[in-house]
Amino acid sequence: MQFRLTNTLTREKQTFTPIDPNNVGLYVCGVTPYDNSHIGHARAYVVFDVLYRLLRHIYGENHVTYVRNFTDIADEIIKRAAERNEEPTALAEHHIQSFYADMDALNVLRPNIEPRVSTHIGSMVEMTDELLAKGYAYVTPSGDVIYRTQKFPRFGQLARRKLDEQQHGSRVAEDTEKESPNDFVLWKANAKSATKMEQAFNPKDYGAQHFSAPGRPGWHIECSAMSRQHLGPTFDIHGGGEDLQFPHHCCEIAQSEALLPAGQPMANYWLHNGFITVGGTKMSKSLGNFTTIKDALQKYSPEAIRLWLLQTHYRKPVDYSDEALKAAQQRANRWQRISEEIMPDHLLNVPLPKEFIEALADDLNTSEAMAILESWPDKIGKVRMMQFLGLLVRAQSMEESPEEIQLLLDRKKARIEKNFPESDRLRDLLKEEHGIIVEDGPNGQTWRRA
Ligand SMILES: [Zn+2]
């Protein structure tokens, strides 16, 4: 089978070859938890959830490491917390829990590692120090540490920008202490703080040799430091929304690759999903045209939202409208009725159709995969494909491990053979060790997560 992905680095569909098929690394930029997430966030995390499911299918469940961070220390959090007279950490924690509730509702699998800025200050200080030591950064009179983009001529290449055309990242304030307007902050000293609510860390406490002003990390450095710590200096796939290409991902590349031998990339494949638009305009917080995931879930089922997001190729824009969501809801309802006819038992060990996986392996062509599902002749096959796409949210979560599937099959067999002590033993084992509650009904054995 050919597995190909469109790599933003080359703007071409390339065969995907992992560095180590026994441990495929995927890093996706996470959220800044200062507010409820909107449908634009849902798109990115649903798209990369399908990629994660596909990688697990191809390389094996335990051979993929998915890392997604939380920017739990950030200007937006500090500002919002000051407005509400709250502690920034409490505000961030509240929105992290809100984000989890949204992701769980949308049946997005949890990544393997979810690093937070607050627990990774040491790795960021270390990387900032290395960049200073190699001349890729400088300390300003007020104590900030700034990346020297003029020393990295490829800056902006991922986003096909030439250095002199570049604008500032909107998340970096104008700063007259910079050598070049493209330079960006690695460490923000607290000296210029207006609110004094900033969470300040002392670089010396983390072993810094080349800078000393108490402060906190800039935004971009976290992904470079966290991906290096959890996936190594070069890993397989880095993903995120198209809007992160510049400046964020260009900054990540500048930071990480400045510390690598020439020609060694931070990530071999960069994947970007398209925007959610509203009447053709990008959905964003700043434009005020956004719908939160929670609002959308009030009106539409999670299956309908996932189905609507996945029926368009991930690189193309998806327009949000009630008409589009209503149409997706009708399709989801029709699929739901099919899935209700299938008992969970019927799906155990049902292989996925080859053409379905081939469609997904062709640059994550979910619309083609859904067309195959739609025209598939038998219902069990259809429901198996729905399950793979995470579209059986309410019916059966069906994220059982191979071991759990075997236990369920063994219990079913024991019941058929009327070996009740054994079937009771397996029922208790599934409940106590796996949190799966098994019940016997007129159509056989069913189960749910406790
Ligand atoms: Zn990032």
Side-chain angles (χ1 to χ4, degrees), residues 2-16:
Q2 276 262 47
F3 183 11
R4 296 192 303 163
L5 295 169
T6 297
N7 190 350
T8 307
L9 283 172
T10 56
R11 299 291 194 279
E12 278 171 9
K13 219 194 262 189
Q14 291 174 235
T15 299
F16 175 70

PDB file of all heavy atoms in Angstrom, residues 2-16:
ATOM      1  N   GLN A   2       0.495   2.220  -0.805  1.00  0.00           N
ATOM      2  CA  GLN A   2       1.176   3.515  -0.851  1.00  0.00           C
ATOM      3  C   GLN A   2       0.617   4.409   0.248  1.00  0.00           C
ATOM      4  O   GLN A   2      -0.600   4.563   0.350  1.00  0.00           O
ATOM      5  CB  GLN A   2       0.844   4.184  -2.190  1.00  0.00           C
ATOM      6  CG  GLN A   2       1.714   3.739  -3.315  1.00  0.00           C
ATOM      7  CD  GLN A   2       2.838   4.757  -3.530  1.00  0.00           C
ATOM      8  OE1 GLN A   2       3.490   5.186  -2.587  1.00  0.00           O
ATOM      9  NE2 GLN A   2       3.066   5.129  -4.773  1.00  0.00           N
ATOM     10  N   PHE A   3       1.478   4.997   1.036  1.00  0.00           N
ATOM     11  CA  PHE A   3       1.017   5.960   2.044  1.00  0.00           C
ATOM     12  C   PHE A   3       1.654   7.302   1.690  1.00  0.00           C
ATOM     13  O   PHE A   3       2.873   7.446   1.737  1.00  0.00           O
ATOM     14  CB  PHE A   3       1.429   5.478   3.439  1.00  0.00           C
ATOM     15  CG  PHE A   3       0.949   6.364   4.577  1.00  0.00           C
ATOM     16  CD1 PHE A   3       0.024   7.381   4.380  1.00  0.00           C
ATOM     17  CD2 PHE A   3       1.417   6.149   5.865  1.00  0.00           C
ATOM     18  CE1 PHE A   3      -0.417   8.173   5.428  1.00  0.00           C
ATOM     19  CE2 PHE A   3       0.984   6.940   6.930  1.00  0.00           C
ATOM     20  CZ  PHE A   3       0.069   7.950   6.706  1.00  0.00           C
ATOM     21  N   ARG A   4       0.817   8.248   1.281  1.00  0.00           N
ATOM     22  CA  ARG A   4       1.363   9.528   0.839  1.00  0.00           C
ATOM     23  C   ARG A   4       0.701  10.691   1.570  1.00  0.00           C
ATOM     24  O   ARG A   4      -0.493  10.646   1.889  1.00  0.00           O
ATOM     25  CB  ARG A   4       1.191   9.673  -0.672  1.00  0.00           C
ATOM     26  CG  ARG A   4       2.011   8.610  -1.418  1.00  0.00           C
ATOM     27  CD  ARG A   4       2.103   8.896  -2.885  1.00  0.00           C
ATOM     28  NE  ARG A   4       0.795   9.011  -3.517  1.00  0.00           N
ATOM     29  CZ  ARG A   4       0.593   9.561  -4.700  1.00  0.00           C
ATOM     30  NH1 ARG A   4       1.609  10.055  -5.386  1.00  0.00           N
ATOM     31  NH2 ARG A   4      -0.617   9.614  -5.223  1.00  0.00           N
ATOM     32  N   LEU A   5       1.486  11.704   1.825  1.00  0.00           N
ATOM     33  CA  LEU A   5       1.006  12.900   2.512  1.00  0.00           C
ATOM     34  C   LEU A   5       1.532  14.138   1.786  1.00  0.00           C
ATOM     35  O   LEU A   5       2.655  14.115   1.264  1.00  0.00           O
ATOM     36  CB  LEU A   5       1.514  12.926   3.959  1.00  0.00           C
ATOM     37  CG  LEU A   5       1.005  11.821   4.887  1.00  0.00           C
ATOM     38  CD1 LEU A   5       1.795  11.805   6.193  1.00  0.00           C
ATOM     39  CD2 LEU A   5      -0.490  11.985   5.169  1.00  0.00           C
ATOM     40  N   THR A   6       0.733  15.194   1.754  1.00  0.00           N
ATOM     41  CA  THR A   6       1.207  16.447   1.158  1.00  0.00           C
ATOM     42  C   THR A   6       2.065  17.174   2.185  1.00  0.00           C
ATOM     43  O   THR A   6       1.600  17.532   3.258  1.00  0.00           O
ATOM     44  CB  THR A   6       0.035  17.338   0.709  1.00  0.00           C
ATOM     45  OG1 THR A   6      -0.674  16.639  -0.313  1.00  0.00           O
ATOM     46  CG2 THR A   6       0.540  18.666   0.147  1.00  0.00           C
ATOM     47  N   ASN A   7       3.334  17.334   1.810  1.00  0.00           N
ATOM     48  CA  ASN A   7       4.303  17.945   2.713  1.00  0.00           C
ATOM     49  C   ASN A   7       4.395  19.435   2.396  1.00  0.00           C
ATOM     50  O   ASN A   7       4.765  19.812   1.278  1.00  0.00           O
ATOM     51  CB  ASN A   7       5.661  17.250   2.493  1.00  0.00           C
ATOM     52  CG  ASN A   7       6.677  17.619   3.535  1.00  0.00           C
ATOM     53  OD1 ASN A   7       6.456  18.529   4.344  1.00  0.00           O
ATOM     54  ND2 ASN A   7       7.804  16.917   3.519  1.00  0.00           N
ATOM     55  N   THR A   8       4.077  20.273   3.362  1.00  0.00           N
ATOM     56  CA  THR A   8       4.132  21.723   3.122  1.00  0.00           C
ATOM     57  C   THR A   8       5.551  22.171   2.763  1.00  0.00           C
ATOM     58  O   THR A   8       5.730  23.151   2.030  1.00  0.00           O
ATOM     59  CB  THR A   8       3.623  22.482   4.367  1.00  0.00           C
ATOM     60  OG1 THR A   8       2.339  21.974   4.720  1.00  0.00           O
ATOM     61  CG2 THR A   8       3.495  23.979   4.118  1.00  0.00           C
ATOM     62  N   LEU A   9       6.569  21.446   3.247  1.00  0.00           N
ATOM     63  CA  LEU A   9       7.958  21.810   2.935  1.00  0.00           C
ATOM     64  C   LEU A   9       8.204  21.814   1.433  1.00  0.00           C
ATOM     65  O   LEU A   9       8.923  22.667   0.919  1.00  0.00           O
ATOM     66  CB  LEU A   9       8.935  20.824   3.583  1.00  0.00           C
ATOM     67  CG  LEU A   9       9.203  20.952   5.085  1.00  0.00           C
ATOM     68  CD1 LEU A   9      10.041  19.769   5.549  1.00  0.00           C
ATOM     69  CD2 LEU A   9       9.911  22.268   5.405  1.00  0.00           C
ATOM     70  N   THR A  10       7.625  20.832   0.736  1.00  0.00           N
ATOM     71  CA  THR A  10       7.871  20.700  -0.704  1.00  0.00           C
ATOM     72  C   THR A  10       6.642  21.059  -1.528  1.00  0.00           C
ATOM     73  O   THR A  10       6.723  21.141  -2.752  1.00  0.00           O
ATOM     74  CB  THR A  10       8.264  19.244  -1.051  1.00  0.00           C
ATOM     75  OG1 THR A  10       7.214  18.383  -0.583  1.00  0.00           O
ATOM     76  CG2 THR A  10       9.565  18.847  -0.388  1.00  0.00           C
ATOM     77  N   ARG A  11       5.510  21.242  -0.882  1.00  0.00           N
ATOM     78  CA  ARG A  11       4.217  21.471  -1.555  1.00  0.00           C
ATOM     79  C   ARG A  11       3.873  20.307  -2.485  1.00  0.00           C
ATOM     80  O   ARG A  11       3.200  20.475  -3.484  1.00  0.00           O
ATOM     81  CB  ARG A  11       4.219  22.782  -2.364  1.00  0.00           C
ATOM     82  CG  ARG A  11       4.447  24.056  -1.561  1.00  0.00           C
ATOM     83  CD  ARG A  11       3.259  24.348  -0.655  1.00  0.00           C
ATOM     84  NE  ARG A  11       3.237  25.687  -0.103  1.00  0.00           N
ATOM     85  CZ  ARG A  11       3.934  26.098   0.956  1.00  0.00           C
ATOM     86  NH1 ARG A  11       4.734  25.253   1.580  1.00  0.00           N
ATOM     87  NH2 ARG A  11       3.829  27.337   1.413  1.00  0.00           N
ATOM     88  N   GLU A  12       4.359  19.120  -2.133  1.00  0.00           N
ATOM     89  CA  GLU A  12       4.094  17.955  -2.970  1.00  0.00           C
ATOM     90  C   GLU A  12       3.582  16.793  -2.137  1.00  0.00           C
ATOM     91  O   GLU A  12       3.894  16.693  -0.954  1.00  0.00           O
ATOM     92  CB  GLU A  12       5.387  17.503  -3.675  1.00  0.00           C
ATOM     93  CG  GLU A  12       5.665  18.305  -4.914  1.00  0.00           C
ATOM     94  CD  GLU A  12       7.046  18.029  -5.494  1.00  0.00           C
ATOM     95  OE1 GLU A  12       7.720  17.079  -5.027  1.00  0.00           O
ATOM     96  OE2 GLU A  12       7.424  18.778  -6.411  1.00  0.00           O
ATOM     97  N   LYS A  13       2.838  15.925  -2.826  1.00  0.00           N
ATOM     98  CA  LYS A  13       2.395  14.695  -2.182  1.00  0.00           C
ATOM     99  C   LYS A  13       3.573  13.732  -2.221  1.00  0.00           C
ATOM    100  O   LYS A  13       4.065  13.400  -3.303  1.00  0.00           O
ATOM    101  CB  LYS A  13       1.226  14.117  -2.981  1.00  0.00           C
ATOM    102  CG  LYS A  13       0.125  13.514  -2.109  1.00  0.00           C
ATOM    103  CD  LYS A  13      -0.812  12.682  -2.931  1.00  0.00           C
ATOM    104  CE  LYS A  13      -2.073  13.415  -3.330  1.00  0.00           C
ATOM    105  NZ  LYS A  13      -3.057  12.484  -3.947  1.00  0.00           N
ATOM    106  N   GLN A  14       4.044  13.311  -1.043  1.00  0.00           N
ATOM    107  CA  GLN A  14       5.226  12.455  -0.978  1.00  0.00           C
ATOM    108  C   GLN A  14       4.894  11.148  -0.283  1.00  0.00           C
ATOM    109  O   GLN A  14       4.034  11.109   0.590  1.00  0.00           O
ATOM    110  CB  GLN A  14       6.317  13.137  -0.138  1.00  0.00           C
ATOM    111  CG  GLN A  14       6.942  14.353  -0.753  1.00  0.00           C
ATOM    112  CD  GLN A  14       7.898  15.006   0.236  1.00  0.00           C
ATOM    113  OE1 GLN A  14       7.767  16.180   0.531  1.00  0.00           O
ATOM    114  NE2 GLN A  14       8.849  14.248   0.771  1.00  0.00           N
ATOM    115  N   THR A  15       5.634  10.107  -0.646  1.00  0.00           N
ATOM    116  CA  THR A  15       5.495   8.840   0.078  1.00  0.00           C
ATOM    117  C   THR A  15       5.961   9.055   1.501  1.00  0.00           C
ATOM    118  O   THR A  15       7.011   9.656   1.733  1.00  0.00           O
ATOM    119  CB  THR A  15       6.352   7.749  -0.601  1.00  0.00           C
ATOM    120  OG1 THR A  15       5.851   7.596  -1.928  1.00  0.00           O
ATOM    121  CG2 THR A  15       6.283   6.425   0.129  1.00  0.00           C
ATOM    122  N   PHE A  16       5.166   8.576   2.446  1.00  0.00           N
ATOM    123  CA  PHE A  16       5.542   8.734   3.848  1.00  0.00           C
ATOM    124  C   PHE A  16       6.416   7.556   4.275  1.00  0.00           C
ATOM    125  O   PHE A  16       6.022   6.402   4.197  1.00  0.00           O
ATOM    126  CB  PHE A  16       4.301   8.809   4.749  1.00  0.00           C
ATOM    127  CG  PHE A  16       4.654   8.851   6.212  1.00  0.00           C
ATOM    128  CD1 PHE A  16       5.253   9.984   6.755  1.00  0.00           C
ATOM    129  CD2 PHE A  16       4.435   7.754   7.032  1.00  0.00           C
ATOM    130  CE1 PHE A  16       5.609  10.020   8.108  1.00  0.00           C
ATOM    131  CE2 PHE A  16       4.786   7.785   8.389  1.00  0.00           C
ATOM    132  CZ  PHE A  16       5.378   8.923   8.923  1.00  0.00           C
TER     133      PHE A  16
END
